Amino acid sequence: MTPSAFHIHITGIVQGVGFRPFVYTLADKHQLNGWVRNSANGVDIEIVGSKKALQAFIEELPISAPPLSQIDSIETREIKAQEFSDFRIVQSKNKATDFIPISPDIAICDQCHEELFDPQDRRYRYPFINCTNCGPRFTITKDIPYDRPKTTMASFELCPDCREEYENPLDRRFHAQPVACPVCGPQVWIEDNIGNSVGREDEAIQMARHLLAEGKILAIKGLGGFHLACDAANREAVAQLRDRKHRPAKPFALMAVDLETIRKFVTVSETAESLLKSPQTPIVLLPKKAEVHLTQQVAPGQSTLGFMLPYTPLHQLLLQHEQGYPEVLVMTSGNLSEEPILHENQAALEKLSHIADAFLLHNRPIHRRIDDSVFNVVDGKPYPSRRARGYAPNPIRVSQPLPQILAVGPQMKNTFCLTREKYAFLSHYIGEMENWETYQDFQKAVRDYERLFRIKPSAIAYDLHPDYTTTKYAMNRAEAEGLPTYAIQHHHAHLAAVMAENKVPPDQATAGLIFDGTGYGTDRTIWGGEVLIGSAEGFTRAYHLKPVPLPGGDASILKPARMALSTLWASGIPWKEHLAPVQALSNSELRVLNEQLEKKINTPMTSSMGRLFDSAAALIGIRESITYEAQAAIELEALADRNEMGYYPWEIDEQLIDVKAVLLGILADLSKNVASPVISARFHNTIAQISLQIAQKIRRDHDLDQIALSGGVWQNKMLLEKTLDLLRSEGFKPLIHKQLPPNDGCVAFGQAMIAAYKYTVNKE
Ligand code: ZN
Ligand code: ZN
Ligand code: FE
């Protein structure tokens, strides 16, 4: 019998995930000879044996591939049979322009978890245990190919035991780059907040547990940066953390010892459970149970709590069931407000010493800081609100090949995006660009991604807003490098993002309800309650909220009371004295506000849906001033009566959505002493009904059934689910985000999609 032979090329995330040992084992199982190696864009295999065995091998490849791998394509071609005496893993072959996707950081796997708590194991209670299927990846990678010398593990020389595991193709730590043990790997220690080391290794972990149990605040170095932690059930500790961090109300993320513990506080759906337990272990926002034994202070005014499970061995050692120790920790980002999360020991010690009572540190450097990801569950499916750890830098796959484009993203909740082939490398969450440190971090991160993924932009996309830091960055680079630029309107980018995510061809006209906080419009006013019909080619503004003044700009964003009065003023509704927003402002504030509006002093016009939600919250008396973004809208949603079905009237006049009747309806309910939860629900229902009516008009006038939903307002789960129900009941096909957040975290991706399309068309 003459043997057959095949060359197989596999692309996707197939490096650093145990793919070669998997191929080795599979070849061994089917008694095939040949070799496997890492190569351009993936893995190459040459394999020789009987036809039957080869067929079985090829069939099994995609089915039993390792859990962290993601196969994009498998190309198989028959070649002339060669002589091989065995099967081998051979040296990688790379060209300078090749790029290889890098695996995101992955939560500790079940096998490592078992070893961690097995007294017989040589890594018993070792906080840096990991294997081919789990552990740090992106955060420790300095460059590609992903190999130990190019990670922050380079300085830890493998001990003989670790080396044996590392070099044995049949070991589950074969070529696990961060492999380490207590003999040769990183260590933890604990310091007080004046820099004295007070404990090492397991003793440090025990001390940290004691301090947390005593109500102390700890800075803990994790995977992508520092957390500030305290016992979530300890009222004083949580209050102190809020006080020291100058964070009066914004909810804290929580980490619980296990799923059963999480279930004590919140309702966990099947989707939520699989998200919580996934290798990405994001924070998941879950509906609070009526009776919660945690202090209200962890998430005041919220109907949800954000939980995650311990995702590193260190977290698992800190959180164990034991009488007298916390089972739930506050785990909030270790940063000063709006600054990037801290990830270096020295900087953390300097910046957090007035917040933390002690520091649990380690000496495995974090090369790249990355925040925890945050998900909601909407419509029974995962719905992101922050895409970072566990997801970045996995590219978003699109259907058409893309030129190399840099899209610099928006000003708030910044992410940027680089494209190449059929991949859009959307960066991890960068943050608020107003902040100088964040902007420095942005510049570094752009270069970092360009280098890692071997992308040299041939065009740059940016937001239409002339004053954005990102716009200036784009302008400077375009000039220095002689690149064409594309200015993209903010809500157009939202539309393009949700379209591309749903595989809508870029040139197919689609309707989008883009309900958002802020975005610079083509008429230089502030948009945000926009109904656009468009594609990557362009868009028309089909409908929008009737603009109202934003007196004093940001002053009115921070004070919903001002916004509510401005909204009333714009509709010619008088400010009656008993109204909550009137009560909330002093007489002189009211006088100044009135004068500002009458004389149009610093009153940019806005059609923002976010501001309408703020106005409603203030009018109902729920929130008159805020300390974090969207606080008023979040609290408005939190208290809404889920069973109320009523809604208010509105008018659509040509392109304008006029909500005067909605405001009058709310005022009438207030004067009848209708309960706030009912009024809030009616307001939500109204926006959902408006969405439906607009969809119907679009179907009539443009013959479109697909209605794309994007913009920060769609993080409102109640509004989104009601709108989806209404749209579906009338036969529409709503498109929502799945991989990217509806907020500005998706804007860079949308910018890239539009610019890539225009650039390609120009070239042809
Ligand atoms: Zn593992
Ligand atoms: Zn070792
Ligand atoms: Fe936006």
Side-chain angles (χ1 to χ4, degrees), residues 108-109 112 130-131 133-134 172:
I108 178 172
C109 73
C112 286
N130 65 78
C131 72
N133 290 332
C134 78
R172 66 184 202 89

Side-chain angles (χ1 to χ4, degrees), residues 11-12 41 72-73 75 99 101 394-404 417-426 455 500 503 739 749 753 756:
T11 65
N41 294 2
D72 277 355
S73 67
E75 286 163 37
F99 88 98
N394 263 359
I396 316 292
R397 264 152 272 245
V398 297
S399 11
Q400 72 291 350
L402 302 166
Q404 299 197 358
C417 185
L418 284 154
T419 57
R420 155 174 196 166
E421 292 156 42
K422 285 184 177 178
Y423 300 103
F425 293 91
L426 183 68
I455 294 173
K503 304 268 186 276
Q739 292 171 269
F749 176 65
M753 292 302 106

Side-chain angles (χ1 to χ4, degrees), residues 490-491 494 516-518 711-712 742-744 747:
H490 185 91
H491 303 102
H494 270 291
D516 206 18
T518 301
N743 63 38
D744 286 1
V747 166

Side-chain angles (χ1 to χ4, degrees), residues 91-167:
Q91 270 297 318
S92 342
K93 221 175 131 185
N94 271 298
K95 291 198 298 276
T97 51
D98 289 344
F99 88 98
I100 297 144
I102 299 173
S103 164
D105 302 283
I106 296 299
I108 178 172
C109 73
D110 291 345
Q111 273 170 297
C112 286
H113 169 84
E114 255 168 52
E115 290 178 8
L116 180 65
F117 293 105
D118 173 5
Q120 304 310 318
D121 195 276
R122 69 187 191 91
R123 293 189 180 86
Y124 176 59
R125 296 188 62 82
Y126 179 58
F128 302 96
I129 186 170
N130 65 78
C131 72
T132 327
N133 290 332
C134 78
R137 294 287 187 276
F138 187 45
T139 52
I140 61 164
T141 304
K142 293 179 173 173
D143 201 359
I144 55 169
Y146 174 68
D147 238 335
R148 191 166 172 111
K150 291 188 172 167
T151 70
T152 64
M153 288 299 293
S155 57
F156 297 95
E157 202 177 324
L158 291 168
C159 71
D161 286 341
C162 284
R163 177 161 299 280
E164 208 181 291
E165 294 169 321
Y166 183 84
E167 285 172 355

